[in-house]
Amino acid sequence: MGKRRKPSPPSRARLAVLTTAVAGGAVLASGTAHAEPAPTLASVKEQVDRLNEEAEQAIERFNGFQEKQQKLQGEANRIQEKVARGQDAMNELRTQLGVVGAEQYRNNGIDPGIQLMLDSDPASYLGRASVQDQVAGSWTSLLKRAQDEQRKLDQERAEAAATLADLDAVGASLNAQKNEIQGKLAQSEALLNKLSAEERAKINAQEAADRAKAAAQQAAAAERAKAADKEAADKAKAAAKEAAGKGAAAPQTASPQTANPQSPAANTPPPAANTPAPPAAGGRAAAIVQFAYAQLGKPYGWSKTGPSSFDCSGLTGAAYRAADVSLPRTSQEQWKVGTRIGRGDLQPGDLVFFYPDLHHVGVYIGDGKMIHAPRTGKNIEVLAIGVMPYMGAVRP
């Protein structure tokens, strides 16, 4: 067996190369670990806003699933009550069938011909035979009823099983939505918790400034529209006055309305087609708006419909209930109820909707403003409708 040779030590050149490589790797690793910059206030705010918006979308889906679950639970209860009543009827029929079956067995145990031969009173036997025929008829009738009841009971049980399966599926979706909401809210809170009190104050101040800017822009647009309307009205009035002067100089045959241009009917343009009339003062709209005002300052609560907290569609639904009007649970379903209203025709009490998927809704109160339940961590507030992506309005 030969001697094993000891490995020769690395040369200085080789050591230099290895040392350089290790050092370079260490520097690279260190550089990679610290390459990601600290998030800016703007990026944190953007992430928080996005997470809150996604949470609100999930909340409206949750509300829809919750409403469906309640309806399915009611349906399942109703069907199960039917099944219980059907089972009671079947039990009663089985008891009757048992009695009739026992009686038939007792009476038909001996051949009828032999019974007649042995019977000392043939007339009595013939009377009993007639009763036996009736018993047989009852047996047939009971059997048919039992078969019909059993088929009906089987159908009801199948319907109950299908409804309960749907209920389980909706329950699973409900839990998934709940987990999604809680996850997004937790992420949002974790991001905010990384900020100092001063940084949080800056974000809140920026949010307030953004809202004030949007409100100012909306107010300016409203003033421009008002000025344009006044200019158009002044021109119409001047034209009417000029026409009236010409009419006095050269009388012409005119309708009563044209002959009296100062009458309200003459100066009032006809209403646009399909434009709903404004709500009557003190009527339904007043009840809706008054309810909304009474909730100001209460906290947002996801999937809550009051009385101590609300989400956006929970608030609008409660406001309309105060006026004896029932609305669907979710903002998307509320959009489908009533008459669509143009932005220029908004009246207090109308529902105003935001974002392309209509996941946010508020109660319009006039002057370009609404009352709404904003999001988790905020309270019910008055806000200009131009602050969020406005999609339209409905008057239920």
Side-chain angles (χ1 to χ4, degrees):
M1 197 170 174
K3 287 185 177 182
R4 285 185 300 172
R5 295 179 59 191
K6 294 176 82 176
S8 60
S11 66
R12 288 186 179 181
R14 190 174 170 204
L15 278 173
V17 171
L18 288 172
T19 304
T20 303
V22 171
V27 170
L28 183 60
S30 174
T32 302
H34 299 286
E36 187 177 343
T40 63
L41 282 181
S43 67
V44 170
K45 183 180 183 303
E46 184 181 351
Q47 289 180 70
V48 168
D49 289 345
R50 176 179 55 78
L51 286 167
N52 281 315
E53 185 179 338
E54 290 173 355
E56 190 173 12
Q57 290 171 327
I59 286 166
E60 286 302 297
R61 290 195 297 271
F62 177 92
N63 291 338
F65 281 121
Q66 192 174 55
E67 184 178 41
K68 188 175 181 181
Q69 183 188 49
Q70 291 168 354
K71 288 180 180 178
L72 282 172
Q73 186 64 66
E75 182 69 9
N77 292 341
R78 183 186 65 78
I79 296 171
Q80 286 176 325
E81 287 174 4
K82 282 175 63 180
V83 169
R85 289 195 299 269
Q87 188 61 59
D88 288 343
M90 275 300 303
N91 292 341
E92 172 110 4
L93 279 171
R94 281 175 180 152
T95 300
Q96 293 179 38
L97 284 168
V99 171
V100 172
E103 182 67 22
Q104 190 180 57
Y105 175 79
R106 285 194 299 272
N107 292 334
N108 292 346
I110 301 175
D111 182 79
I114 298 173
Q115 276 193 321
L116 183 58
M117 289 174 58
L118 297 176
D119 201 293
S120 58
D121 186 355
S124 173
Y125 169 76
L126 289 174
R128 289 199 306 276
S130 175
V131 171
Q132 289 172 12
D133 288 342
Q134 291 175 16
V135 169
S138 297
W139 170 261
T140 303
S141 175
L142 281 172
L143 273 178
K144 187 176 184 310
R145 279 180 57 199
Q147 289 169 347
D148 291 343
E149 287 294 330
Q150 186 62 57
R151 276 194 296 269
K152 184 178 172 184
L153 186 58
D154 290 343
Q155 289 173 353
E156 287 170 353
R157 281 179 173 154
E159 186 179 354
T163 302
L164 289 172
D166 288 344
L167 192 58
D168 287 343
V170 169
S173 297
L174 203 61
N175 287 333
Q177 293 301 319
K178 184 176 181 180
N179 291 337
E180 181 182 352
I181 293 163
Q182 290 173 333
K184 291 186 183 301
L185 294 178
Q187 288 180 59
S188 174
E189 189 64 26
L191 283 169
L192 290 174
N193 285 339
K194 292 178 181 178
L195 301 177
S196 65
E198 183 182 357
E199 288 172 325
R200 282 198 183 204
K202 285 181 180 178
I203 284 183
N204 290 336
Q206 182 61 51
E207 208 172 79
D210 291 343
R211 291 188 172 194
K213 182 180 178 181
Q217 289 173 342
Q218 183 170 324
E223 284 299 319
R224 287 194 297 271
K226 187 176 178 182
D229 288 344
K230 184 177 183 303
E231 184 180 354
D234 289 345
K235 286 181 177 179
K237 188 175 180 181
K241 187 175 181 181
E242 184 181 353
K246 289 180 178 178
Q252 295 179 358
T253 303
S255 66
Q257 180 173 323
T258 307
N260 183 14
Q262 299 303 317
S263 68
N267 290 327
T268 303
N274 300 323
T275 299
R284 187 184 79 168
I288 293 165
V289 172
Q290 286 167 10
F291 180 92
Y293 266 103
Q295 313 316 308
L296 287 174
K298 289 184 179 181
Y300 177 97
W302 67 270
S303 196
K304 299 297 183 182
T305 58
S308 57
S309 63
F310 301 83
D311 62 19
C312 69
S313 55
L315 174 64
T316 52
Y320 268 77
R321 279 198 301 277
D324 295 323
V325 178
S326 179
L327 292 181
R329 178 62 183 92
T330 67
S331 57
Q332 290 93 342
E333 291 301 314
Q334 290 176 5
W335 170 257
K336 300 174 185 177
V337 177
T339 306
R340 300 287 166 82
I341 304 297
R343 192 161 179 168
D345 299 318
L346 281 169
Q347 295 289 341
D350 292 342
L351 297 177
V352 282
F353 295 83
F354 304 89
Y355 299 99
D357 64 349
L358 308 170
H359 71 258
H360 194 76
V361 61
V363 175
Y364 187 70
I365 58 172
D367 196 26
K369 296 182 177 66
M370 66 171 172
I371 292 175
H372 76 137
R375 60 174 174 82
T376 300
K378 301 285 186 179
N379 295 332
I380 294 171
E381 63 180 1
V382 174
L383 186 69
I385 63 172
V387 171
M388 290 183 288
Y390 179 83
M391 300 307 295
V394 164
R395 187 173 299 158

